Structure formats: C-alpha cells, structure tokens
Amino acid sequence: MKISKLFGQEKLTMSIEVFPPKTDTLFESVKEATEEIAKLKPAFMSVTYGAGGGTSKYTLEIAKNLQKTYGVPALAHLTCVSSSKETVVRQIAAIKKAGIENVMALRGDIPAEHVHEDRSHWDYRYATDLVRDLKAMGDFCIGGACYPEIHPDSDNQKNDILHLKEKVDAGCEFLTTQMFFDNHLLYNFLYKIREAGITVPVFPGIMPITNANQIDRALKLSGSYVPQRFKSLVDKFGGDPAAMKQAGIAYATDQIIDLYANGIRNVHLYSMNKPEVAQKIMENLSDILK
Ligand code: FAD
C-alpha cells in the first residue's frame, strides 16, 4: 500500500520507525523487535538506512518481512550522498524488486572527511537529486525529511524552506520531521512552510526519551531544543530507570495528544526498536486511535 492512501483521511494514525542491526550477530534480535512492533498494526513502518552508524545491509530485508509477514506497509529509507549513481540505481531496482512502494529519499550526513571538500562533481549533492531519480525509475510514493528547528547545514530557515520546496516540487509527496520536544516549534514551522507554498502532508516525528543516557545522544544528533519542562523531568527521574521510562512515555504521549488535538492526522514514532515503549504509547492512546 502506498502511504499516499492515508492522505486526507479523517482517521488518526500512528506510524513507527525502526532501524536495522549494526552487526550481523544482532540481526535476529532486531528482527524480532521489529516484528513485535509490527504486531501493534501501525499505519506503516519506516526502516532506516545506515543512520547513526548503522548499516544499510538489512534495510530491505526487514522492510520486506514487515510487509509480507505482517501486512504492515513499509517505507524503505535510502541515502545518496557520497554514493555513485550506479550504486543508487542498483539499490532503487532492489527496492522495486522487493515490492516496496514507499521510499524516504534522504541525502544522509556528509562523512566528516568530505565536509570541506569540493563536492560539485558528486553524483548526488542533495536529497532532491535522489527524489528525481526515484521519480524517473519507478512508481514510488516518495517521502522526505524536514527540520522544524532548521537543518544544521543551513544558514537560515528561509533558505532551508526554499530548498525544502524544491524537494517537494521534484516529487516528494510527504514530509517527516526531525524529532522535537516543544510542539510550538512544529506549529510555527508548519505555518512558515504553508506560507511558502508547501502543501504536502507533514508527519511529526516524536522520540520518546526513556533513559537518561539516550538524551545526550539524541540531542547531539538532532540539535533539538529542550524545554525546561523536559529538563526538570530528567533532573527528577534521570537516576531511576523505571521512573524515567514512565515519565518519558508520558511526555511523548502528551506531545502526541496535543498534536492530534491541533489537527495532525498521523504521528511518526521513533521507536528506537523498543516494542514495549511503542506498545505503551499506543495503549495510552487507544481510545484516541480507535
Ligand atoms: P537535504 O534535503 O538534501 O538537505 C540537506 C541540507 O542541504 C539542508 O540544509 C538543505 O537546506 C540544503 N540544501 C538542499 N538543497 C540545496 C541546494 N540546492 N542548494 C543548497 N543547499 C541545499 N540519515 C541516514 O543516514 N539514514 C536514514 O535512514 C535517515 N533517516 C532520517 C529520517 C528523518 C525523518 C530525518 C529527519 C532524518 C533522517 N536521516 C537519516 C538524517 C539525514 O540524512 C540528515 O539529516 C542529513 O544531514 C540531511 O538529509 P536530508 O535528506 O534532509 O537532506
């Protein structure tokens, strides 16, 4: 099923992100975790591609399994920066062959050793280049990433939104946001992109922070602003794993309820491959998602 089928529906839905294992030995346990999450019957599941030091080897295998065995539509992530055209074309063909109809087109982070290099001759410089190739090579529903708090490479939000518009105009049908911990940042961003003529659905990405160690890493990766309300919660419960988990789930649940109450129809949950966290959040929202 194409994710575009969800567009315009009144029903509230939740989709969930998982990531493939970093090593071969972890494959079975990660596969099992993704299957437990699939049993919750989210609207769709996205599977990352080499993000945060992970591998890209198992993205398709996991996506295919979720779709075929559990009937959950899969969204395969694909990055392009520092890849050759040949590699990307081969990967797009493999996605098609696996029966995956939805692709999240990403640039990916620029490897540290290339940051100061002249990249003008690279096959792919931006996600928009990949969107164009996906459009030309298959009948995919294409998604893209967006950043309510600005992408770190951008000098200012105006330019970031201009480039986002180019990505959408190239064929991106929906956008998923970077994590954020203050919903007002999202509402403000939505206002600005609508004003800039970007009309595609935006799926807010919510990351439940369930242990104190996760916080530094998550914030380093995303650069997200942390409201005092959230800081107080970590100060109070950070040293007690069970209490921190409960408080983190409650905070994420609260964010999601506020998003639904303000007109959002699908929320994307960054599950960190934790079925029990995804399950608890869906339980908390059971009457809302009914
Ligand atoms: P782009 O859309 O290309 O934007 C990158 C920067 O380039 C922005 O600052 C933009 O304003 C600028 N830009 C765009 N076009 C132009 C132009 N023509 N001229 C000048 N500047 C321009 N990473 C992974 O490795 N694997 C994953 O699976 C993954 N999944 C993700 C899912 C989501 C929802 C999000 C939000 C991020 C994900 N990432 C993933 C991280 C992502 O790859 C990085 O944030 C990366 O640095 C940017 O990717 P992008 O696709 O947003 O890039």
Side-chain angles (χ1 to χ4, degrees), residues 17 47-52 77 79 104-109 125-128 145-147 151 153-154 159-160 163 166-167 176-178 270:
E17 180 178 291
V47 188
T48 65
Y49 186 87
H77 289 205
T79 63
M104 176 62 107
L106 297 144
R107 184 194 72 175
D109 286 328
R125 294 174 66 199
Y126 304 107
T128 303
C146 65
Y147 304 82
H151 184 270
D153 292 357
S154 280
N159 284 340
D160 205 22
H163 296 312
E166 286 162 12
K167 186 156 69 176
T176 305
T177 76
Q178 178 62 285
Y270 294 118

Side-chain angles (χ1 to χ4, degrees), residues 147-207:
Y147 304 82
E149 297 175 72
I150 311 179
H151 184 270
D153 292 357
S154 280
D155 296 336
N156 61 65
Q157 195 170 39
K158 196 171 168 214
N159 284 340
D160 205 22
I161 291 176
L162 274 177
H163 296 312
L164 187 62
K165 172 97 168 54
E166 286 162 12
K167 186 156 69 176
V168 170
D169 290 347
C172 207
E173 291 179 62
F174 67 94
L175 298 165
T176 305
T177 76
Q178 178 62 285
M179 68 180 88
F180 56 90
F181 300 100
D182 179 345
N183 287 1
H184 291 103
L185 294 166
L186 189 268
Y187 301 139
N188 196 274
F189 174 70
L190 285 178
Y191 180 80
K192 287 180 181 167
I193 64 167
R194 299 309 184 213
E195 198 180 32
I198 299 173
T199 57
V200 295
V202 175
F203 301 153
I206 295 296
M207 164 86 86

Side-chain angles (χ1 to χ4, degrees), residues 33-70:
T34 64
E35 289 176 342
E36 287 306 307
I37 292 171
K39 288 178 192 162
L40 301 170
K41 293 281 168 213
F44 67 89
M45 283 174 76
S46 65
V47 188
T48 65
Y49 186 87
T55 70
S56 46
K57 195 169 152 192
Y58 291 117
T59 299
L60 272 190
E61 202 169 331
I62 289 183
K64 206 161 73 173
N65 179 48
L66 297 172
Q67 198 160 271
K68 286 221 162 123
T69 316
Y70 295 89

